Amino acid sequence: MALTLEQAQRVGYTCLKALLRFAFMVANNLVAIPSYVLYLIVLQPLRILDSESFWYIEGVLFKWLLAMVASWGWWAGYTVVEWGDDVKAVSEDEAMVLVNHQATGDVCTLMMCLQDKGTVVRQMMWLMDHIFKYTNFGIVSLIHGDFFIRQGRTHRDQQLVLLKDHLEKYYRSRNRKWIVLFPEGGFLRKRRETSQAFAKKNNLPFLKHVTLPRLGATQVILKTLVAPQENGTPSAGDAVRKESKSKGLQWVIDTTIAYPKAEPIDIQTWILGYRQPTVTHVHYRIFPVKDVPAEPEALTNWLYQRFIEKEDLLTHFYETGAFPPPQGQTKAISREMTLSNLWLVAIQSFAFLSGGMWYCLFQYLYHCLF
C-alpha cells in the first residue's frame, strides 16, 4: 500500500528526529563519560586524604550522568507516574530495591524516577548483567562500584561469593544507601517459558507478567547488609558496620514497572525517541527488613509471594490502566514524577563545557611537550 504525502512526511520527520537524537546521544557520551573519568583521576589525591569527600563528589557526578540518560527519555515524552508508598520517606535509609524486568528501558526508567528522591541516585549500587560492563557506561559503573553478575547455573555459586566480597569491600566504605537488583535474572520474554515450566513442575502459581525470582543475590544482600540486631543474630566485632555507624539495611522496596499495553520501552526507543510519548507506571511497596525472613525456605516463599503480588498488580493495571488501591482503601493515589528542564539543560551544558575544557587542556599540553 502506497504512503500518502502526509504519512511520508511523518515518517521522514520521525527518522530525522531519531537521527538527530542519536547524534546528540553520541556527542553527549563522548564528552560526559571521559569528563567523569578525568575529574576523578585529577581528584585521586583527595581520595587518599579524604575518602568520604571524594566519594561524595563522585556520587554527584554519577547522578548527573544518570540525569543525562533520563533527559533523553524525558525530552521524548517518556514520563513516569508513581503509585503506592512514597519512597522519599526512606531515601536516607539503607534499602534493597526489587524490580521486575521486562526490557533494557527498565533501567532508564529507574534512572529517571529516582532523580527526585534526595541522595538516592548518588548513593545507590546497581546489580546488573555482566554484559553491561562492555557498554559505553561500563567504565562509569566500574568506578562507581556497581556489581556485574554473570548469569547461568555454572557461574552461580562463584558469583554469589564474589557479590558478598564486593558488598563487604565497597558498599559502606563508599557510603552506599540503596541497592537495586532484578531478582528474575533476565528479561521477561526470555525467562517466562522456563519459569512457567518450573512453576508447573513444583505446583507454583502460573505467572504471565513476571517470572519466579531467584533467591541467591537477595539472600546474600540480606545476610551481608542487615545489621545483626535486625535479623536477631547479635554479633560482636563487625568492624565495617561499627566504623560506619550504620543501622544496616532497613527496608525492602518492592518496585513494579508497568508499560501501557504491556509494551516495554527498550534502550533503542529511549535513545531514538521514535515511539509516541508514553507514560510508564511505577508502583512501590515498602517492607521493614525485620519482617523479611532470614531462613532460605521462608525467604524463598516470601520472595515468591512478592512476585505473585506483582502479577496481580500488573493484571489489574493491564485491565484497568491503573494500579489497585492499597488494602483497606477505596482509591489508589498516583503521583506524576517531574524533572526540571532547566536543571537538565544546566547538567548537559556542564558536560559539554567540561568536554571543551579537557580538549583545550590536552591541546595545550600537547603543544607544550611537542
Side-chain angles (χ1 to χ4, degrees):
M1 183 177 177
L3 290 177
T4 65
L5 178 60
E6 183 180 351
Q7 289 172 329
Q9 288 175 335
R10 191 181 302 121
V11 170
Y13 172 73
T14 301
C15 292
L16 177 61
K17 183 178 69 172
L19 182 62
L20 292 174
R21 283 176 57 88
F22 180 74
F24 176 79
M25 183 276 294
V26 171
N28 200 180
N29 275 269
L30 289 175
V31 296
I33 293 177
S35 293
Y36 165 88
V37 174
L38 290 168
Y39 276 126
L40 295 181
I41 290 174
V42 170
L43 289 172
Q44 285 304 304
L46 178 63
R47 183 178 181 178
I48 297 171
L49 297 172
D50 187 352
S51 176
E52 185 175 347
S53 295
F54 173 86
W55 289 112
Y56 175 87
I57 295 170
E58 184 278 334
V60 171
L61 294 175
F62 183 79
K63 179 177 181 177
W64 290 355
L65 282 176
L66 268 58
M68 292 176 203
V69 176
S71 72
W72 305 341
W74 181 258
W75 288 334
Y78 305 149
T79 57
V80 172
V81 166
E82 298 177 308
W83 303 75
D85 296 332
D86 185 0
V87 296
K88 287 183 181 179
V90 299
S91 62
E92 297 300 318
D93 298 333
E94 290 188 23
M96 176 173 63
V97 184
L98 307 175
V99 192
N100 62 313
H101 209 11
Q102 301 174 69
T104 48
D106 298 341
V107 175
C108 300
T109 296
L110 290 174
M111 288 180 177
M112 176 186 287
C113 65
L114 296 179
Q115 283 290 327
D116 68 342
K117 306 299 187 292
T119 63
V120 164
V121 174
R122 68 176 177 83
Q123 291 183 293
M124 72 196 310
M125 178 181 286
W126 296 76
L127 265 67
M128 60 189 78
D129 192 278
H130 80 288
I131 196 67
F132 287 102
K133 185 188 298 185
Y134 308 105
T135 65
N136 59 319
F137 211 78
I139 183 65
V140 174
S141 292
L142 280 170
I143 293 172
H144 184 69
D146 296 329
F147 183 77
F148 299 94
I149 192 164
R150 186 181 291 273
Q151 303 294 343
R153 188 173 299 176
T154 56
H155 305 288
R156 192 169 300 160
D157 292 341
Q158 180 195 29
Q159 290 298 299
L160 295 179
V161 172
L162 292 174
L163 173 59
K164 182 178 185 299
D165 293 343
H166 186 89
L167 293 172
E168 291 175 342
K169 186 174 181 180
Y170 297 118
Y171 191 81
R172 294 209 169 92
S173 67
R174 298 185 181 183
N175 196 27
R176 299 293 174 245
K177 293 291 186 181
W178 284 22
I179 183 165
V180 181
L181 70 154
F182 301 90
E184 291 165 294
F187 297 140
L188 173 64
R189 68 179 186 276
K190 292 183 177 181
R191 292 210 62 247
R192 179 160 40 199
E193 187 176 338
T194 303
S195 175
Q196 290 172 347
F198 177 84
K200 184 177 181 180
K201 183 179 179 181
N202 292 275
N203 197 29
L204 294 168
F206 183 86
L207 307 177
K208 295 190 299 182
H209 305 306
V210 295
T211 66
L212 290 169
R214 292 169 176 172
L215 177 67
T218 304
Q219 186 177 32
V220 169
I221 291 168
L222 290 171
K223 280 187 175 182
T224 308
L225 299 182
V226 173
Q229 65 270 22
E230 293 285 0
N231 62 14
T233 54
S235 175
D238 189 334
V240 175
R241 291 192 180 113
K242 191 172 182 180
E243 287 178 9
S244 66
K245 300 178 181 178
S246 169
K247 296 179 181 179
L249 201 69
Q250 295 173 266
W251 310 100
V252 174
I253 303 174
D254 187 26
T255 303
T256 304
I257 299 176
Y259 298 95
K261 300 180 182 179
E263 296 176 354
I265 298 176
D266 54 31
I267 188 66
Q268 300 96 310
T269 307
W270 193 270
I271 292 170
L272 299 177
Y274 50 77
R275 183 186 290 191
Q276 290 298 309
T278 302
V279 179
T280 301
H281 297 257
V282 181
H283 183 279
Y284 305 105
R285 189 177 177 195
I286 302 173
F287 295 89
V289 77
K290 61 183 177 62
D291 294 341
V292 180
E295 293 302 315
E297 185 176 350
L299 178 59
T300 299
N301 292 332
W302 184 90
L303 198 57
Y304 281 177
Q305 189 58 41
R306 300 290 72 78
F307 277 77
I308 293 169
E309 289 175 4
K310 284 181 185 292
E311 176 77 11
D312 294 338
L313 286 171
L314 290 168
T315 298
H316 189 280
F317 177 83
Y318 295 139
E319 291 175 353
T320 66
F323 283 112
Q327 191 172 6
Q329 298 183 24
T330 58
K331 186 178 179 181
I333 305 298
S334 63
R335 305 174 296 277
E336 188 174 344
M337 184 266 162
T338 60
L339 290 175
S340 166
N341 285 316
L342 181 62
W343 179 61
L344 294 176
V345 168
I347 291 172
Q348 294 284 7
S349 299
F350 175 76
F352 283 99
L353 288 172
S354 295
M357 178 195 72
W358 290 115
Y359 176 78
C360 292
L361 178 60
F362 282 118
Q363 284 285 92
Y364 174 77
L365 291 174
Y366 177 83
H367 288 300
C368 288
L369 293 172
F370 301 103

